[in-house]
């Protein structure tokens, strides 16, 4: 079974420490939600797992099925089975979704691109992606909803072991959110996908049902629990986990903890 | 000075009287303005000094066309050469074909249906064609659009273009397929080559013309449609391909100097698509002038594709002379090795309510350079002008150099003019996005560069060639990834330029970083 293991991950960006020792374990078939207020480090966690530049890993580990992700470049991480659905998917002028996926499949295994046409047709139907969108330059002049459906479509076609979803719910209307959530849930239950869904609001969790919920505050996991934790959060807000002594946590202490 | 281009020398060249007359005039004008020097701003990046000294040598490296007796002594090259075949294959059906080798017309063919519709292809200087000799109008159509050639190289063409070719489309005619003009420059022979093309499209007629200038061997690097050349064709080795523009002119006796002039005259309400493709080998020096005049409500769509040459300059003048005329100009270029691509454009809004839209998209790699300098000129009478000018350059290596200079000259207040320019490397966010889907760095780069040319490729005239032209340009990127280890290294460096994981840490990144953290 797949396993994304994050241990004591400490990350600095722009001279500031953003993640202060994050521990997570996401296994195949599980849906984990990471929730947190603005600036808590959610997007940093997503980006650093995929290896985006501009982040400095100061400590800790991240592995996928025992493979050290931090030692790999982004495309190798993807080939190792990691997927990142981006909050703001990048516009790539002149490169269509179909071209991009063909290239990605070709790189994953010789001849794999032959699977593209069939998978695309099936998944586009499931996710409500019009055929015309597949030929357009990816994300260029896409609506918010089209972008997110596009991300989900790529996820469905590429079939990673673990997917990190960075605010997949933002920009989606309720119907699209349902389409996307159902497809991802099905990937988890039927295809053994591990999901790490990063979100701002519990709205996502009413559609995408999480097995585990983690609350990320100031760069560390402040609490973990079952789906009921999201309900508490909905009721009480983040205040409760924002304890003042946590603010001044020292690097030394974190290292020992790890 | 410039004895070889004296009025007497020009008058001695073969051709009908009207042509000899023009030559004398051009030679006199040339003597008047003299040769430019690289000290002049507009010639700053060009090897004009080397070209000039080569031209002035008594036995220069550019043997110019001489007396007719000598020329007729040579047997005409077989127009069904492998090079021509490969061009024909690439473009599919055509309404007509003109094949020109080293500036001399080799063959002309017009599809009977197109001829009936109103297409003529006429070698203007060919006295053997009785219609030419007896048609008094033909002499005056030359220079219909390029009446005032802007520089010494245009004038040199006027003096030495011994075989101007006219493509004329009768008023109200509609050609189903493009007209192909193939200019072959022998890769193995040296010489000054002076192709001259005039396209004249009558009132409300519609036509497309594809004008290819290529070295015979350069077709090897063509797109999917091109076939293998026969064994006796010389090919350019990669070693010579990387000589610099300057030394190519000075030291290689086999580099051609190609000075084409293409003129277009677009009648009232007519529509012309003109696609120019420059695929010279890397030793050739090219200084080309393209000039167009568009009449009332006429539409001209110019597409320029440039991949070859050591120094290749192309000046484009589009004059919107009739009210409501439109001139679109699109270019895609890719300079690598030590190539210099140098573009000058002039969008001349002469009449009222005229529209021009210019989009140049280029890539520069290795130690190559590109220059774009464009002027939107709006005349006093040109109220209601709508002009756009965009130049984008993608820098694919640290050693490249690209200059982009937009200019406006506006003499009327009621106008809309916009210009935009961008010069920069591949967008890191785009690269990351593709890589995050598992696309390896080289493939990601290829996709991005391919995509970068997508918009401009779709704007090119002649529907159906967009993909093939995009392929022609991005073929250079594929070549790049096949060569030397140090090139590959630099490609890797690019991908991990801001690499969180330096190469040495590959196996123990986690340990090293955590040690740092404690």
């Amino acid at each position: 079974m797949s396993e994304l293991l994050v241990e004591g991950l400490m990350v600095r960006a722009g001279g500031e420490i953003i993640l202060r020792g994050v521990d997570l374990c996401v296994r195949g078939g599980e849906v984990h939600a990471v929730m947190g207020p603005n600036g808590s480090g959610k997007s940093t966690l997503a980006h650093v797992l995929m290896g985006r530049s501009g982040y400095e890993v100061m400590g800790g580990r991240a592995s996928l099925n025992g493979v050290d992700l931090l030692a790999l470049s982004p495309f190798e991480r993807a080939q190792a089975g990691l997927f990142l659905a981006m909050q703001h998917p990048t516009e790539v002028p002149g490169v269509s979704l179909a071209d991009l996926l063909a290239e990605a499949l070709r790189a994953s295994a010789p001849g794999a691109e032959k699977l593209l046409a069939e998978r695309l047709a099936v998944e586009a139907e499931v996710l409500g992606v019009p055929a015309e969108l597949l030929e357009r330059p990816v994300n260029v002049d896409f609506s918010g909803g089209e972008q997110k459906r596009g991300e989900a479509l790529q996820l469905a076609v590429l079939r990673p072991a673990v997917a990190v979803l960075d605010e997949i719910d933002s920009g989606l209307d309720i119907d699209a959110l349902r389409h996307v959530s159902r497809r991802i849930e099905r990937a988890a239950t039927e295809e053994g996908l591990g999901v790490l869904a990063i979100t701002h609001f519990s709205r996502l969790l009413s559609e995408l049902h999480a097995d585990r919920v983690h609350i990320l505050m100031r760069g560390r996991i402040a609490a973990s629990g079952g789906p009921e934790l999201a309900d508490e959060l909905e009721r009480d807000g983040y205040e409760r986990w924002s304890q003042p002594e946590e603010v001044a946590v020292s690097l030394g202490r974190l290292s020992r903890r790890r | 000075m410039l004895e070889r281009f004296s009025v007497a020398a020009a008058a001695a060249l073969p051709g009908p009287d009207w042509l000899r007359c023009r030559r004398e005039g051009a030679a006199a004008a040339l003597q008047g303005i003299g040769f430019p020097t690289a000290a002049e701003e507009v010639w700053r990046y060009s090897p004009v000094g080397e070209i000039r000294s080569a031209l002035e040598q008594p036995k220069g490296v550019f043997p110019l066309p001489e007396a007719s007796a000598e020329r007729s002594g040579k047997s005409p090259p077989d127009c069904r050469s492998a090079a021509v075949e490969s061009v024909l294959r690439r473009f599919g059906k055509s309404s007509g074909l003109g094949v020109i080798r080293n500036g001399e017309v080799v063959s002309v063919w017009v599809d009977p249906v197109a001829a009936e519709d109103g297409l003529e292809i006429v070698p203007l200087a060919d006295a053997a064609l009785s219609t030419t000799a007896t048609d008094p109008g033909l002499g005056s159509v030359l220079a219909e659009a390029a009446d005032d050639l802007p520089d010494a190289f245009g004038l040199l063409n006027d003096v030495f273009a011994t075989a101007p070719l006219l493509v004329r489309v009768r008023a109200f005619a509609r050609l189903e397929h493009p007209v192909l003009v193939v200019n072959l420059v022998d890769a193995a022979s040296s010489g000054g080559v002076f192709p001259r093309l005039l396209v004249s499209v009558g009132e409300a007629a519609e036509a497309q013309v594809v004008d290819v200038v290529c070295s015979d061997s350069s077709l090897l690097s063509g797109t999917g449609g091109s076939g293998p050349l026969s064994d006796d064709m010389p090919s350019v080795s990669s070693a010579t391909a990387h000589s610099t523009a300057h030394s190519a002119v000075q030291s290689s006796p086999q580099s051609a100097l190609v000075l084409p002039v293409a003129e277009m005259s677009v009648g009232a309400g007519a529509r012309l698509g003109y696609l120019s493709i420059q695929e010279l080998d890397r030793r050739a020096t090219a200084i080309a002038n393209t000039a167009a005049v568009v009449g009332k409500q006429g539409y001209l769509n110019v597409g320029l594709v440039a991949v070859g040459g050591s120094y290749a300059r192309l000046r484009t003048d589009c004059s919107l002379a009739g009210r409501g005329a439109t001139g679109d100009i699109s270019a895609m270029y890719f300079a690598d090795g030590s190539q210099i691509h140098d573009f000058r454009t002039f969008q001349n809004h002469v009449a009222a309510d005229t529209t021009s839209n210019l989009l140049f998209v280029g890539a520069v790699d290795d130690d190559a350079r590109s220059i774009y300098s464009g002027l939107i000129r709006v005349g006093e009478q040109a109220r209601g002008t709508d002009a756009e000018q965009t130049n984008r350059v993608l820098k694919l290596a640290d050693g490249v150099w690209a200059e982009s200079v937009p200019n406006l000259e506006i003499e009327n207040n009621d106008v809309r003019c916009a210009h935009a320019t961008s010069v920069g490397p591949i967008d890191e966010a785009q690269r990351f996005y593709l890589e995050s889907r598992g696309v390896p760095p080289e493939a990601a780069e290829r996709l991005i560069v391919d995509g970068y040319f997508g918009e401009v490729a779709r704007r090119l005239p002649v529907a159906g060639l967009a993909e093939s032209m995009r392929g022609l340009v991005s073929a250079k990127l594929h070549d790049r990834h096949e060569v030397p280890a140090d090139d590959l290294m630099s490609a890797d460096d690019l991908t991990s330029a801001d690499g969180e994981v330096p190469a040495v840490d590959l196996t123990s990144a986690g340990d090293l970083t955590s040690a740092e953290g404690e």
Side-chain angles (χ1 to χ4, degrees), chain A residues 50-61 68 70-71 74-75 77-79 82-86 89-95 99-100 103-104 107 138-139 151 154 158 255 258, chain B residues 427-430 432-441 443-444 446-448 450-452 454-455 458 470 498-501 505-518:
Chain A
M50 193 39 98
R52 184 166 206 150
S53 62
Y55 300 93
E56 183 190 353
V57 176
M58 300 171 67
R61 290 164 217 281
D68 178 9
L70 301 179
F75 85 96
R77 297 182 196 203
Q79 291 186 351
L82 190 66
F83 183 89
L84 169 63
M86 293 190 193
T90 312
E91 296 184 0
V92 191
V95 178
D99 287 347
L100 163 56
E103 203 65 52
V138 64
N139 300 322
E151 295 291 279
Q154 293 177 58
L158 295 174
S255 302
R258 197 180 72 244
Chain B
D427 184 88
E428 274 310 313
Q430 292 179 12
F432 175 71
Y433 186 75
L434 300 190
E435 287 190 35
S436 77
R437 310 296 132 128
V439 178
R446 180 166 45 73
L447 274 177
I448 291 169
D450 240 22
Y452 183 76
E455 181 191 351
R458 280 191 301 277
R470 199 151 85 150
D498 33 24
E500 7 354 279
V501 187
D505 294 347
L506 275 180
T507 52
S508 56
D511 295 334
L512 281 172
T513 47
S514 65
E516 213 175 276
E518 308 209 347

Side-chain angles (χ1 to χ4, degrees), chain A residues 78 81-83 154-163 191-194:
Chain A
L82 190 66
F83 183 89
Q154 293 177 58
L155 165 61
V157 169
L158 295 174
R159 301 190 182 169
V162 170
E191 299 158 25
L193 174 73

Side-chain angles (χ1 to χ4, degrees), chain B residues 156-194:
Chain B
L156 270 171
N157 180 287
D158 237 4
V159 179
F160 291 106
T162 46
L165 191 70
L166 168 69
V167 173
R168 187 158 59 175
V169 184
R170 198 163 59 205
F172 304 101
R174 282 192 184 180
L175 302 186
E176 195 182 347
H177 305 295
V179 175
L180 298 183
V181 178
V182 182
N183 283 281
L184 293 168
V185 177
D186 281 347
S189 75
S190 60
V193 178
F194 307 90

Side-chain angles (χ1 to χ4, degrees), chain B residues 227-411:
Chain B
L229 295 181
S230 58
D231 290 335
D232 56 342
M233 294 283 176
S235 66
V236 190
S237 78
S238 58
T240 55
H242 281 257
S243 63
T244 70
H246 293 229
S247 68
V249 173
Q250 276 178 327
S251 63
S252 166
Q254 298 194 327
S255 61
L257 174 62
V258 187
L259 305 177
V261 172
E263 300 172 60
M264 274 147 274
S265 171
V266 182
R271 298 175 69 84
L272 171 63
Y274 170 78
L275 177 62
S276 151
I277 303 166
Q278 187 269 99
E279 283 184 273
L280 290 163
D281 72 46
R282 289 165 181 276
R283 293 165 303 173
T285 299
I287 300 179
N289 277 294
T290 295
V293 176
V294 187
K296 189 180 163 186
Q297 300 292 337
Y299 175 62
L300 171 67
N301 186 9
V302 173
L304 310 167
V305 179
V307 293
S310 61
Y311 172 80
R313 180 187 178 103
L314 175 53
R315 174 176 166 143
T316 306
D317 290 71
C318 179
S319 189
L320 303 169
R323 185 163 186 172
T326 300
D328 289 344
I329 308 175
S330 312
M332 49 201 291
Y333 55 98
F334 195 134
D336 63 358
S338 57
Q339 289 182 309
I340 303 176
H341 283 174
D342 186 347
F343 296 94
R344 313 280 158 154
T345 66
F346 295 82
Q347 292 154 270
N348 295 320
H349 290 258
V350 180
D353 304 322
T354 45
T355 306
S356 69
N357 200 331
L358 179 146
L359 175 64
F360 272 51
V361 178
V364 267
D365 201 356
D366 305 325
D367 300 312
R369 295 174 160 209
S370 78
I371 298 111
Y372 171 80
S373 170
L375 175 66
I376 297 175
R377 193 187 277 145
V378 180
E380 260 177 81
Q381 307 303 314
R383 66 182 181 282
T385 285
D386 186 345
E388 268 186 41
Q389 182 197 84
T390 305
N391 178 47
R392 298 186 199 131
V393 186
L394 194 56
K395 295 165 85 168
L396 294 173
D398 292 336
V400 304
W401 181 92
E403 185 166 286
S404 186
V405 189
N407 285 298
L408 293 172
E409 190 183 299
I410 300 175
E411 292 174 5

